[in-house]
Each structure stands twice: as structure tokens, then as C-alpha cells.
Amino acid sequence: MGIQINIDNGGTLTDICIIEGSDVKKTKVLTTPYDLSKCFFEGLEKASGVVYGKPDVKRLLEEVELIRYSTTQGTNAICERKGPRLGLVVNAGAADLVAELAAHDPDVYAALVGDRVVYLDPALVTGSDGAMAVVKATNALTGQGASRIVVSFGGADFAATENAFRKIALRKYPRHLLGAVPMLYGSDLSVDKDQVRRTWTALINSFLHPGMEAFLYNAENRLRQFRTKNPLLIFRNDGDASRVAKTIAIKTYSSGPRGGMEGLKTFARQYGFSDVVAIDVGGTTTDIGQFVNGKVAEDRRGHVEGISVSIPLCEIMSAGAGGSSIFKVEQGSIVIGPQSVGAVPGPACFGRGGQSATITDASLLSGVLDPKSYFGGGMGLDLDRAATAVNTNIAQPLGISLEEALQKMELAFEAKVADELCRFTKVSPKSVLLAFGGAGPLNACGVAEVAGINQVAIPHMAAVFSAYGIGTCDISQRYCEPLSQVTQEALEDAYALLKVRAVRDMYAEGCSGDDFEIDAQLVATDASGKESTHVLSAVPSLPADLAKAASVELEMTAVKRLRAQSDTHAKFVELAPALSEGVRNVLTRKDGRIDVPVYRMSALKAGDHASGPAIIEEDYFTCRVLDGWSFVISDAGDIMLNRKASS
């Protein structure tokens, strides 16, 4: 395969990984949140410079084989509550439903919906006065400020009721009119019989849709102008990819972090690790996941911010703490995030108008970051602005010195990430902490100490690990259809229906019938609500033991397989002392400011080792090796940090 470009768009930085055969290169650009297409094409231009020695984006887009895109924008939008105000239409008398929706996460529900709810009798919608009822409901919600409306009815005929509402809405508010309000129906996304899950799925999708749609279609149109051979592929949270027109917004939620989980699986297998907990520290969030016994946690009914939804998602938790998260003092204590300064204005030290204190400012003032080498030397950092931000927001409110404030900020950041890590994962004596993302390696030793972990692994592609991880994803489309009856005939009908859709959709992905495979399974639910899964062969047959199931759903996946399981293995073996490339004056926790050795990744060889305190640095990440830790480089160029046993 020719050149592949993988782009992972974060809240502060956008990572680009360029794969050409066995050659892997990387670069980064600042995210432009006011126009994501700007940083997307700036990233492509910078990537062309990496490939050809000078920028030539036109040539790159003529020659590139695949462009894959993942993002944390959905994660950040939910975390920071940034998005449209939604209105909700549900059944009359469904106050308990609304209370249950809010109970899943009161803060998220209040931010997305609040009191913009209309209760409507399904019989009224389908009756002779349906048009008046729909118009009143729509006007009431828009009058309360809703810019998008979600319609989610309950009962056995919820899809039919929603379809009746849809027909009236299209007639009364045709889409070509300026007054038309975008409406999403729960049954558009899922046939899940659980109304709470189905409604939350629609709400979250509607919340994320406008921002993602505006950017992705703009980016895709600009790519067409360059006559790019293949369409832009969107990497999804389920681990596969599809073109823009066949991707729903909720599946972009945590798609960037899911790329990191794909990289995690490959990394763990390469070294034979059975238990790895991961922190992907970006500018706005720290994304947390775990690999145990050969797999990462995935759920058929996934979770967004702990909220159960109807679609499969990888189990990743996003904590509102990253390199650009805002530090402030409340009631005498340091509070971190979830608000972030993002790339604009960015941390105070970026010199772009930011006045809030961040861990990036603290790391610069502590001497851990070098203003001359940060971001590959492409961004000068301002010590004076950083000091003003930390003094104003942390030191003065706490009545302490600047250096005490820096220590407290570092400890608070490490404690928050470690607390979230231990809350979401199961840390055991065998656990290895895999730290990646632009800010992941920086405080990894401190996080591990708080979490009780004695080994930290840092991949040599840590800075763009999520972009790297999506490099071999499959192209797929997924479907689900409930069986009208639990019979062989109903199964065959549903199978034929979904297969027609699969062939059509995969053709749109550029795949002929010989280029993709069909995987199918039945998911049966018994009277107690317990689910069981039954894999189907190419000739579907209804298992006899499903005859008494309360309901059965047919799930089908059409997939063009691009993944190739790697059989490469690597190891960490100490061979020779590492040679430092100088020293840096760093504020340490035990000895104050002292000179510590600095090791450049580009100069380290397999088997090189040394002890902390020290700094390991490459163009796009810095790792602080604390006192009491040592490191060794593997034969694949990755870093293993080991905590010395206390005497």
C-alpha cells in the first residue's frame, strides 16, 4: 500500500502520522477550534514537507492512498458542555423517564436539555389533530431556545409514532425554509427497546452532529478539489472506519482515544504484557483505558461519560485534565479543569493571550520543558507570562511562593489523573502503565507512584500514538434489525434485508462484493433481560434454544479487512549506560533546583539505560524520570521506566 496519512484531531494539538511501507514519520500542528478544516490542511501541508523535504500538499494528495481521521472533539464537547441547546419530545406522562434520563448524569442532562421538554400523547400524533400537536410542540421548544429537537417515544410502536411525527414535521417545516429546525428521531439510530438508552443515544448524537458535520463535509469538499483518489475515512469508536456520509456523530465520540487503544493492543502483544492500563494525556483530557488478557474492554451497549447508550463503544473514560486544563483555587484547594484553554489562546506560556495557569506553564517554570526545544523548536515559550499566570491564579490565592505553587500544581495534577485511573481501571501488581499523547510521558512516573504502579512504558511514537494506532483499521458498516417473530422465516427475511443494505453501503465505500465479508450474529434477550449471543454462518439458521426468547435481534457487519496481526516481538534488556546530551536545571521534590541529565530519544540505542532524576526528550514529548526510577530502551525503540524497590 502507498502513503497513508492518519490524523488525530485533539482539543489543543492535531497529530499526524505518515506511514509508507515500514517507514513511519510524525508531525503536529496546533488545533484551530474556530475552523477545524484549517488545522486539518495545515497538518497535510506539514506532512507533505516531512515526506518530500518541502511542502507540496498538491502532490501528497495526488499520491496518498488513504487518509484516516479520528478526533477527540466529541469527547471535549461533552466534557466542556460546548454544543447546541436541545429540545426533547417524549410520551405524555413520561416524567419518570425524564427523571431517569437526568439521573444518568444531571450535569450533562442540564447542559444538553435542561427544562426544554414537551410531553406528547402518541395517539394525538397519529390522530386527526396530529399536525396541530406537532406544530405546538416544535414552537414551544424553539421558543425556549432549542436549536435542535430530539423526538423519542416509548411503547411497542415507538418507531411508527416517530415516523408519523416526522411526516408532519417535514410537511409543516420543509427543510428548504429558514425556520426549519433539525430533528432527530430515536429510531433513526437504534431499535433498542430500552427508551432511556435510545433517547440518550439520540441526544448525544444531536449534540455532537452540527460541529462534526460542518467540519467533515468542508474537509471532504476541499479534498475533492485536489482530486484525492479515495474519500476521507472517519475512524470510529468501534475500531473501524467509514466515509463521512455513512458515519453518525456519536461514533466519533472518543474515536481519537480509541485509536490509542488499538495501538495499546499491538504494543501489549509485542511485549507479552497481560495487564496494561493506559493514560492518553492531551491538551484537554486524559483518556483512560485498560488491556487485560488480550483485549480492551468493549460493550455492546457503550457508555458516554458514564451514560449508557444503545450502540457498541470501547470502554474509555475521559477525565477533564490535560496539558491545557485550567488550574484555579477554590476554597483553599487547587481545582483542575474540566475547562481548557485549548490551542486558542492556549497556556499562558504560548504567548497568545492566555492568562490561566496550566500544567504546561508549571512544567516550563520547573525547568522540565525547554523553551528552545519544545514542539520541535517550532514554538517559543514565554517564562514571564507563565510566571504571571501561576502567581496570579495559584501562588497568591494560596499565599505561597511561586516554587511551592509549582510543586503543588504537579502533585495535584498527578493525583487527579491517578485517582481517575484507579477509579476506572483495576490496578494490580502486574499492571504496566502505558503513557502516551503529547503530555502523557511528562508526569507518568508521578501518576504511577500515586496509583501504586511500578512500571511505566512509553512508546517511541507516544506523541502521535492514537494517530499511529488507527493505521490498520478495517472499513465496515454495522446493522441491527429485530426479528418480527422468533422463527427461521423471520431470520431469513431480516438477513436478506440487511445484506441488501450492506452491499449498497459497501459499494459506496468503494468495495465490490468480493472485497468485503459479512459477519452476523443473533442477540437474544430472555424474560429476565439477560442477553446471549449466537454467531451465524453464511447460511443463517435459527438455534432451537432461542424459541423461548423474549426478543431476538440480528446484528450484521460488512467489513473490508485491512488489519494484519503483527507477529513481531520486542524486549527490554539493559546493555550500556545511556549518554546524556547535557543537563537542565530542574525543580526537584527532594533537593530543590538541581542540574539533571537530558537524554535525546534520537541518540538512544537499544539497551541504553540510566537512572533518575533525568529528562528524556524528543521533538514532541518530554518525559520526567523521577528520583527512584530508572529507564531502559527496548530493541524496538520504546522506553520502559522501572521504579526501584524501596530499601
Side-chain angles (χ1 to χ4, degrees), residues 447-464:
V447 171
E449 286 187 359
V450 179
I453 297 172
N454 296 320
Q455 286 189 302
V456 174
I458 299 172
H460 70 284
M461 296 296 291
V464 295

Side-chain angles (χ1 to χ4, degrees), residues 84-90 112-113 116-118 120 133-153 162 165-166 169 173 179-186 188-189 199 202-207 209-210:
R85 292 156 63 96
L86 306 179
L88 177 62
V89 178
V90 295
L112 270 61
V113 182
R116 296 181 294 277
V117 182
V118 168
L120 205 54
V134 169
V135 168
K136 283 185 176 181
T138 304
N139 289 346
L141 292 173
T142 55
Q144 289 178 277
S147 58
R148 302 179 71 86
I149 293 174
V150 169
V151 180
S152 183
F153 286 101
E162 291 173 11
F165 192 107
R166 182 201 319 269
Y173 302 95
V181 179
M183 295 187 186
L184 178 68
Y185 303 84
D188 288 341
L189 304 181
T199 304
L203 287 171
I204 293 168
N205 191 82
S206 192
F207 184 74
H209 183 96

